[in-house]
Amino acid sequence: PAQDIKAEYEACKAIADKIERAKASQELDKKYPNYAIARRAANTSRDKSAKTGTARHSSLEDYIRMCIVENQGKPRGVLASEYSSDVLNFINWAFTNVDVFLFTEANCYHEGLWVGGIADLGLRLNNGKRFVCDHKSSKEAYPDQFLQCAIYDVLLSHSGGLDADGNKLFDWEPADGYIVFPFRSDPFTPEYRYNVEQFRKGVEATVHLYKLF
């Protein structure tokens, strides 16, 4: 069928493009030795950051789940030796600001939008406001990161929070705001957004644009 031929052509073209990029990179390595050194350093830094981010994410999930299971969602004390300094920054912030953690790593979906995902964190602050939150390895928060929170908010409002097998764990009313935790900020500075209706409208528009292009 024509679609199979097209798919095979595109796959072969992608492989050819990758080979050409590799050749071009090798030529640059030979012609500009400093380029090769810089590229390898950048790749090493990127890979190290990815590993650090994954380990941090796992530690945060473990801590929040422990609070939910063992302490009715209330932030609880830990030994400083148990966690890295950046995770301790989050824990210290939570002690001052968080009433209860509501969920961590909640699966969610919306069949109408044909989108699914896993939301990092939901919590209620001491002021009674509920937030969908996301952990990021950036130095500051960016608009698209809040849009990601809004996507999870819309999905959770539709499907509720689910476990990995699709069993519903809780219902979810739309959040009062969104928080992004940029773990490379110095000092550690969570950022908030409260214009949730604007972001929720942006969710459907984003999905339509994605499908269009």
Side-chain angles (χ1 to χ4, degrees), residues 25-179:
S25 183
Q26 288 170 0
E27 289 300 317
L28 284 171
D29 285 356
K30 292 176 184 177
K31 191 172 181 180
Y32 304 106
N34 288 338
Y35 165 80
I37 295 170
R39 183 167 58 82
R40 283 195 292 271
N43 288 343
T44 299
S45 176
R46 177 201 62 199
D47 294 342
K48 182 179 179 181
S49 295
K51 290 178 182 178
T52 300
T54 300
R56 181 197 304 120
H57 204 107
S58 179
S59 293
L60 290 164
E61 179 186 357
D62 289 345
Y63 171 75
I64 295 163
R65 194 175 303 282
M66 175 181 66
C67 293
I68 292 172
V69 173
E70 300 180 7
N71 205 37
Q72 294 79 50
K74 297 281 186 182
R76 58 170 291 179
V78 297
L79 295 175
S81 58
E82 292 181 303
Y83 293 95
S84 62
S85 60
D86 52 356
V87 174
L88 288 172
N89 285 337
F90 171 84
I91 293 172
N92 290 334
W93 172 87
F95 258 96
T96 303
N97 297 279
V98 175
D99 177 22
V100 290
F101 294 114
L102 300 171
F103 68 79
T104 180
E105 299 298 305
N107 290 264
C108 47
Y109 71 92
H110 193 304
E111 64 267 74
L113 297 175
W114 204 247
V115 176
I118 303 175
D120 278 357
L121 170 62
L123 54 80
R124 184 173 68 237
L125 294 184
N126 293 327
N127 62 9
K129 302 293 185 182
R130 295 161 55 257
F131 293 79
V132 173
C133 316
D134 209 37
H135 309 305
K136 295 297 182 184
S137 295
S138 54
K139 291 184 178 180
E140 59 185 305
Y142 299 102
D144 62 319
Q145 295 170 344
F146 291 104
L147 179 60
Q148 185 177 358
C149 291
I151 292 172
Y152 292 142
D153 189 23
V154 169
L155 268 53
L156 286 165
S157 300
H158 177 78
S159 68
L162 315 171
D163 64 17
D165 296 318
N167 302 304
K168 182 181 281 192
L169 303 175
F170 58 87
D171 291 313
W172 182 259
E173 293 294 323
D176 300 303
Y178 308 127
I179 305 175

